[in-house]
Each structure stands twice: as C-alpha cells, then as structure tokens.
Amino acid sequence: MLTYLSQAQTRPRPEINLDEFIQRIFSLQQENINYEDLYESLFQLYQNPIDLNTASYEELSALYVLSVVQIKNLLAHRAQYGNLLSIYELQAITGFDLNTIQQLLPFVEVSQKFNIKTLPGSVANASDHYLILRGSQTLEKSRAFKENKYLGSPQQIYARYRLSHPRDFQIGLVAEKDAGEKNYLDFYSFHLQLQNKGKLKNLVIGDYQVQFGQGLVLGAGFFLGKGSEAVTTVRRSNMGIRPYSSLLEGGNLRGIAATYQLNKIDLTAFYSYTKRDASIDEADGEREQYFSSILASGYHRTETELARKNQLTEQNIGVNATFRFRNGYVGATMLHTQFDAVLMRRPRLYNKFEFTGKQNIVIGTNFTYTWQNINFFGEAARSSSGGIGLTGGWVAALSRQVEWAMHLRYYGRDFHSFYANALAEGSRTINEQGIYWGLKYTPAKSLTFSVFYDRFRFPWLRYLVDAPSQGFDYLFRVSYQLNHRALLYAQYHAEHKGKNLPDNTTPQDIVVNTIRENILGNFDYTINRAFKIQSRVQINTFHYQGRAKSVGYALMQDIDGNIKKLHLKGRIAYFATDDYDSRIYAFENNVLYAVSFPAYYGKGLRMYLIARYALNKHLDLWARYARTQLQNQHSIGSGNDTIEGNHKSDVSLQVRYKF
C-alpha cells in the first residue's frame, strides 16, 4: 500500500525489543507457559501492524498496551474528528502520554482513505521480505552422542522465509531439525495468507491457528493470563485465523481456513488434516488401535522417537459466526475433532473423567460488550461428553487512576476441549473453578501499583494430587519511573495449592498444602543513547506443609548497547538453589526468533553474550554464546542429555537477508 501522506508525517515503525516487551508485561514467569508460542504470536502482531484509523476495540485491546479508557477515548476522538493524520495526533487524546505512544508505535500505523494499492497481492507490493538461517550447538557432548544413541548430528538447524505486506498477503516457510535428528527437514511449516479481497476478509492455506471468544473452544495465539499486568491481560480478543510459523511441533492446524463478511456478520470455516506423534497400540483381543496421549516434544532423535513420528491422523472441522454491533459482538463456534485411533488414557483414578474415544465436538457461544468505561466479556461451551465450560467477567476503568478486572471460570471435570486456552490455574480448561480479581492504581504517571488475587479449586483428582484440592494465588507489584532514564520495580508473588507429599511411606498418598513464593527486584537505567543496564535480584522459596523450606536466589546483571553498527546484549548471573523445587526461571535475550527460558538450579554462574552486526541494509548477522558453570557438581542434565562435567556451553550463529 502506498501511503504518500502518512509516509511524510509518520516516521517508520521502530524495531521492537520483544524480550523487553515480554518482561514488561509478563515478568511473572511460570513453567507451564509456552514462551516460544508467546514470542511468535507477539512478533506476528509486530509484523502485521493495525491501522489506527480502522482498528476495532478488539484489535486495540489485543495489544495489551492500552486501558479501557484509552481505547474508548481513541475511538471517540476518531468518531468526532475523523481519521488521524499522524501517529503523533495521539498526544491530543486524553490519557495518551509519550510513554504509552512509544509502547504502541511498533504495533500500529496510520493510513489515509485516499491511499491506493498498486499490484495488490504481488511481490512488488511486499514490505517485509527476508530469509533467516540459523545454526546452534551445545559444545559439550551429552551421553547420547557419546554412546551413538542419537541418529543425527549435534547441530540444530533452522530456516525461515517470509514475504508479506500487512493486511494484504503473506507467504511463510519454516524448516528445522533439532540436535540429534537425522532429517534436515524433520519439521517444516508453510502458509499462504490473503486478506481484504472484497468480502473475503481472510484466507489461509497451509498451517494456521484459530482464536475466538475467550478461548474455551479455540484459543490459539497471543494470550498472557495471570501476570504482572493484572488487568488488561485477563480477557481475550477475537483474533480469528492467524498463520502459524512457530517451531512448536503440534500446535498447528494444517489445511484451509477462510473468513467471509456478510454485512455485520463474519463467517469463518476451516478444515485441517494433520499427522501427530503418538504411540499406537492394539487393545488385547481387539483390532481397534488406541493411544494414551499425543507426544508434543517434537524430538525424533532415536529409533524409538522416530517410530512414533506421524503415527496418528487428526482431522478438525470448525465454523464460527460473529455478529458485530456498535459496542461489541456476539459469536458462536463449533469444532469437530476426529482421530483414526481411540484415545484411551492410562487406567488411573485421576483420569476417570478424561476424554475417551475417536471424536469430540465442542460448541460454544461468546460475547463482548462495552458500556461506558466497562468492557464485559464471556463464553459458554459444551463438549460432546456433556461437560460444560463457562468463563466471563469485566475490565473496567473506575477513574483515570484506577482499573479493575474480574474473571470467573467453571470448567467441568468432563469438559473436553483440545484447542482451548482460557485463563486457568492448570494447564488445561478441565476440572477447575475459580474467581480472579485484578487491580491497577496509577496515582501519578511515574508510579503504578498492580495486584491480583485468584482463588481456585479442583473438584476431582489431578496428576500428583490424589484428592480434590483448592488454593489461591496472589501478586503485588509496584513500578516507579524515577526519571526518563531510570525505572525501578519490585514484585511479590505467592501460590498456595495442594500436592501429594513426596517420599510418603503410608499406604495412601497424602495431599498437603504447598507454598511457592517469588520476590523480584529490578532496576533499569539508560546510561546514554547507546547503553543501558538492567540489575535484578530474584528469590524463590518452596515448601511442603510440615517440611523444611527450599530456598533459591539469583543475582543478574544485564547490559545492552551499541557500538556503531554493532549491537551487544549480555548477562552474568550468580544463582544458588537448595534443589529443583526452588529453581528460578529467567527469561534470556537471544537471536531473533529464538527463545531462551532456562531454569537456574544448583549453584553456579550463568553468562551469555549476543552480538548483532548490520553489514548493510540487507544483511544482519547474529552470534550468541552462553555458558553455565556449576559448583560442586560432576554432571549436568539427566538421561540421554547428561553431560559429564560441571559446565555447559551453547553457541548460535544466525544470518538474516532482507530482499
């Protein structure tokens, strides 16, 4: 799209620091969060900027940058004065300060009605065209490589190609092999997307994800849930069909999906035919084949792992109809999933109400409605087992300084939805009830208090919890912008919930209360235009009721700076934990599109350095070296991945060519 006026008045969108953005809105880290998918979804938002002159409430709220009042004021300004002429016109809208605009810049653009399209959908109209190649390797040999148990080389190889123009078309290819895999195309992903072709709003052929409502039926894409951003992240937005280009094997649908607009109704239909990894067996005395779970690790390094690859066929057919009106929408969704083998869980009491069979149908309805400064949302769904899922709540601006969120959820113990991703304490939307409160108070532009409290219960047994249980989860965070160079924030998070007592000697397992605590202090300081530092201390504790507390801590120092065309990022961290229970998860910077989120445990040092060098306007080079050095240990890792010695070193090299 040629935008003569907007190009003259709006500077190019800045390149976003995805790592910094994720840490700002989600500094509460958990082991059950899929960070690679989170990172990929966030980059999708960056590469497909929304137009502030046409963006809906849903699109604006999906960025997790703007409050209810800011979105309302933007829409009111647009209705009263017409289209924005420049991104900087946001400064004239109540509630938009310079910091908010800077956070918004990477994800938005301003276009004019008289902009014209030339060669729509063609290569000549592409604004994003590049090829990325990456190689990574652990320098020390693990047990499996020494004993020749892995079939392939120790290098991880990755390639990505993309050709696109926002809201017009997109072509993407991804290929990868993990360390130890033999086939250089062990995993590949591809897609072709067309958008805004008359009444055809969206068409994706190849790999894709789908998200509607609050995620009870289809919940793929960028969703944060409980975290340090206590208010805006509890609701989901209708994102519809999105191309899939993540390295996660098993999170995609593969086939065709389309959205067609009929006046105020958007109709979406899709079909998917995919192969999944699974161990397929035959029941005794029967010809029926069955499997107990889908294997999502994506590893095919040994003969056993390779034999499980693509053994299960999964088909999905789905439809959605969304009726949009001035202040919201109402939608209905249906998803039918079918396997070519019977899903039969292991005979354990906690699996009593799990799905069994070859096919499952989930039907749901959802809505969102904005009244004054309150956004209401909700969804109800029913699976073919008869199980019910309910979720709903609101996000409200009580004043310019106070934002409030409430979220209620009920997921039946027999509610089965394979592609759900709604707010939950557990990793799935099953066997859970809960109520969440979130509050954000900003008495001054430089000072923000955030708090959430979530109480939940599990009516039936769970894995490693051999009785119905309950618990609660709460967080308190204060953030203070000392000046334009210095930011200070502190955070306390605690989680109480039941779990089987380990090493129990009684005939029956005993469920006891466990308490996990996390204390975080962070200081960001911009030295000058070229360099900034981040200092962080994190303390974790964990203990079972009646037993000694396990304690861990980490001290981290980051530096980020530029020396002409060379961009450097680095960290040195010292950590010490009593055991794995008090491990510390720490988000790490990495090369573009790579995610690093290791757990620090034991005692030692963790260091990494990333260098990015722009040779010219077409070619960028990345290099990363990371090393873990442990004290008083003779090995790192477990099983086939055990490394003899007290250190582990990883190297990554990456090149991006922009056409």
Side-chain angles (χ1 to χ4, degrees):
M1 181 180 292
L2 298 180
T3 55
Y4 300 116
L5 182 58
S6 64
Q7 284 181 345
Q9 296 193 10
T10 304
R11 68 180 183 184
R13 291 186 305 126
E15 186 165 316
I16 185 176
N17 184 332
L18 294 176
D19 308 314
E20 182 180 279
F21 186 85
I22 288 176
Q23 290 187 67
R24 181 184 66 81
I25 63 174
F26 200 73
S27 59
L28 170 62
Q29 285 116 19
Q30 302 173 8
E31 67 266 37
N32 62 348
I33 298 295
N34 192 327
Y35 284 93
E36 185 169 322
D37 194 37
L38 172 66
Y39 192 96
E40 176 67 33
S41 299
L42 182 58
F43 206 87
Q44 287 281 347
L45 289 176
Y46 170 70
Q47 292 188 311
N48 295 276
I50 65 174
D51 184 359
L52 289 178
N53 284 333
T54 59
S56 65
Y57 186 100
E58 287 294 292
E59 291 174 309
L60 292 168
S61 63
L63 301 177
Y64 298 122
V65 173
L66 301 177
S67 67
V68 175
V69 171
Q70 288 172 324
I71 296 175
K72 179 187 174 184
N73 290 346
L74 171 57
L75 297 178
H77 178 90
R78 203 171 67 191
Q80 183 174 359
Y81 300 105
N83 286 348
L84 278 67
L85 299 178
S86 164
I87 188 74
Y88 300 106
E89 192 176 337
L90 290 174
Q91 297 177 82
I93 302 176
T94 303
F96 282 81
D97 55 21
L98 188 57
N99 183 52
T100 300
I101 295 173
Q102 288 175 342
Q103 293 177 22
L104 201 60
L105 271 176
F107 303 109
V108 301
E109 65 181 12
V110 171
S111 301
Q112 308 303 322
K113 287 185 176 180
F114 51 81
N115 292 342
I116 61 172
K117 291 184 178 181
T118 60
L119 300 176
S122 69
V123 174
N125 202 32
S127 60
D128 195 11
H129 190 193
Y130 63 80
L131 172 67
I132 289 178
L133 300 174
R134 180 170 74 233
S136 304
Q137 182 176 344
T138 298
L139 300 183
E140 296 84 356
K141 282 190 175 182
S142 67
R143 179 180 298 168
F145 286 113
K146 286 182 177 181
E147 299 175 359
N148 295 320
K149 292 183 178 179
Y150 287 163
L151 303 175
S153 67
Q155 293 83 28
Q156 181 196 37
I157 307 298
Y158 162 91
R160 177 192 291 260
Y161 172 78
R162 181 184 175 101
L163 172 67
S164 68
H165 186 272
R167 301 185 308 281
D168 187 1
F169 74 97
Q170 180 174 302
I171 298 172
L173 299 168
V174 172
E176 183 226 27
K177 94 164 192 69
D178 290 308
E181 293 178 337
K182 186 176 181 180
N183 187 353
Y184 281 86
L185 284 176
D186 184 82
F187 172 74
Y188 63 90
S189 175
F190 64 93
H191 65 264
L192 166 65
Q193 180 184 36
L194 298 176
Q195 292 179 286
N196 301 315
K197 308 303 177 187
K199 292 186 176 181
L200 180 64
K201 307 308 295 181
N202 198 2
L203 170 68
V204 178
I205 300 173
D207 294 325
Y208 60 90
Q209 292 181 313
V210 186
Q211 196 278 308
F212 288 107
Q214 298 307 307
L216 281 185
V217 181
L218 293 160
F222 185 42
F223 179 57
L224 297 175
K226 295 191 290 185
S228 54
E229 183 61 50
V231 174
T232 59
T233 58
V234 300
R235 70 176 297 276
R236 302 213 60 172
S237 298
N238 245 24
M239 300 303 293
I241 309 163
R242 297 169 58 84
Y244 183 83
S245 55
S246 173
L247 291 182
L248 296 172
E249 303 182 28
N252 63 301
L253 299 171
R254 175 169 290 181
I256 184 169
T259 298
Y260 190 81
Q261 186 177 34
L262 288 175
N263 297 320
K264 294 183 178 182
I265 299 177
D266 290 342
L267 297 175
T268 298
F270 61 89
Y271 171 76
S272 169
Y273 180 94
T274 53
K275 293 286 188 177
R276 306 294 192 198
D277 292 2
S279 294
I280 305 295
D281 298 299
E282 289 188 2
D284 294 338
E286 300 180 12
R287 294 184 179 181
E288 193 81 75
Q289 291 185 322
Y290 72 93
F291 66 103
S292 61
S293 64
I294 294 176
L295 306 175
S297 69
Y299 289 131
H300 309 115
R301 304 162 297 183
T302 65
E303 294 287 359
T304 301
E305 290 175 347
L306 203 55
R308 297 168 176 169
K309 182 179 180 180
N310 294 337
Q311 293 302 299
L312 177 69
T313 297
E314 175 188 317
Q315 297 185 73
N316 286 278
I317 299 175
V319 294
N320 171 269
T322 299
F323 174 74
R324 301 184 182 277
F325 49 92
R326 181 178 178 183
N327 293 321
Y329 66 80
V330 176
T333 309
M334 185 279 291
L335 173 65
H336 177 267
T337 303
Q338 182 164 341
F339 305 109
D340 66 345
V342 176
L343 176 54
M344 186 182 301
R345 305 285 185 179
R346 291 188 300 168
R348 301 289 187 269
L349 189 57
Y350 62 80
N351 282 331
K352 180 179 180 180
F353 297 98
E354 290 284 353
F355 174 84
T356 298
K358 278 189 172 183
Q359 57 182 330
N360 184 50
I361 298 176
V362 191
I363 299 176
T365 181
N366 63 87
F367 80 96
T368 184
Y369 178 73
T370 302
W371 175 72
Q372 295 185 0
N373 292 335
I374 307 176
N375 177 248
F376 299 93
F377 56 87
E379 185 170 13
R382 183 181 187 274
S383 60
S384 51
S385 63
I388 299 295
L390 302 170
T391 183
W394 60 80
V395 176
L398 303 182
S399 69
R400 291 184 180 181
Q401 290 80 31
V402 181
E403 298 174 59
W404 175 38
M406 178 170 280
H407 186 284
L408 298 93
R409 60 191 184 275
Y410 172 88
Y411 310 138
R413 58 188 182 181
D414 58 347
F415 176 63
H416 307 134
S417 186
F418 301 140
Y419 287 90
N421 184 20
L423 189 145
E425 171 63 23
S427 59
R428 297 183 299 144
T429 53
I430 186 173
N431 183 36
E432 181 175 332
Q433 301 167 18
I435 180 169
Y436 171 100
W437 295 271
L439 193 67
K440 186 175 181 180
Y441 175 51
T442 309
K445 290 182 180 180
S446 59
L447 183 62
T448 302
F449 297 92
S450 297
V451 60
F452 78 70
Y453 177 82
D454 184 45
R455 177 167 285 277
F456 47 84
R457 63 185 299 265
F458 306 105
W460 187 244
L461 287 59
R462 304 167 66 226
Y463 177 64
L464 295 181
V465 188
D466 290 342
S469 60
Q470 59 185 358
F472 57 92
D473 183 17
Y474 62 93
L475 174 144
F476 178 79
R477 175 186 172 102
V478 56
S479 176
Y480 181 55
Q481 187 82 45
L482 282 74
N483 51 51
H484 69 283
R485 289 188 174 187
L487 171 66
L488 177 67
Y489 62 83
Q491 179 175 294
Y492 174 76
H493 174 236
E495 183 181 61
H496 297 240
K497 61 182 178 182
K499 192 174 182 180
N500 289 350
L501 186 68
D503 305 320
N504 181 40
T505 58
T506 61
Q508 291 184 326
D509 281 317
I510 300 175
V511 177
V512 299
N513 185 48
T514 66
I515 303 174
R516 185 182 299 277
E517 296 175 293
N518 171 271
I519 300 172
L520 172 66
N522 188 94
F523 178 67
D524 293 349
Y525 184 73
T526 302
I527 300 172
N528 51 42
R529 291 185 178 181
F531 285 91
K532 60 182 178 181
I533 60 173
Q534 181 183 70
S535 304
R536 174 175 291 204
V537 58
Q538 188 167 330
I539 302 171
N540 284 7
T541 68
F542 180 86
H543 74 277
Y544 292 90
Q545 180 181 334
R547 293 196 175 182
K549 181 181 293 187
S550 172
V551 180
Y553 68 90
L555 305 173
M556 292 169 270
Q557 181 60 59
D558 292 12
I559 187 167
D560 186 337
N562 296 289
I563 304 175
K564 295 184 178 179
K565 292 184 178 182
L566 181 64
H567 185 199
L568 297 171
K569 291 182 179 180
R571 167 180 294 173
I572 181 168
Y574 176 77
F575 58 91
T577 72
D578 291 338
D579 50 39
Y580 190 69
D581 283 334
S582 55
R583 64 195 178 275
I584 292 175
Y585 286 93
F587 191 94
E588 293 185 349
N589 291 291
N590 211 318
V591 300
L592 184 64
Y593 279 120
V595 177
S596 180
F597 193 69
Y600 299 171
Y601 65 95
K603 182 182 292 185
L605 291 173
R606 172 71 175 174
M607 300 165 285
Y608 69 81
L609 179 65
I610 306 168
R612 174 190 175 187
Y613 186 76
L615 285 175
N616 51 50
K617 66 179 183 179
H618 296 290
L619 193 61
D620 294 320
L621 304 176
W622 281 265
R624 184 181 193 263
Y625 175 77
R627 182 181 176 90
T628 300
Q629 184 84 34
L630 298 179
Q631 301 175 15
N632 305 320
Q633 285 190 220
H634 303 291
S635 65
I636 297 178
S638 61
N640 283 335
D641 295 324
T642 300
I643 295 174
E644 299 299 331
N646 65 345
H647 57 82
K648 179 182 178 182
S649 307
D650 301 297
V651 175
S652 296
L653 299 175
Q654 178 167 294
V655 57
R656 177 178 65 174
Y657 185 80
K658 293 184 286 187
F659 296 91

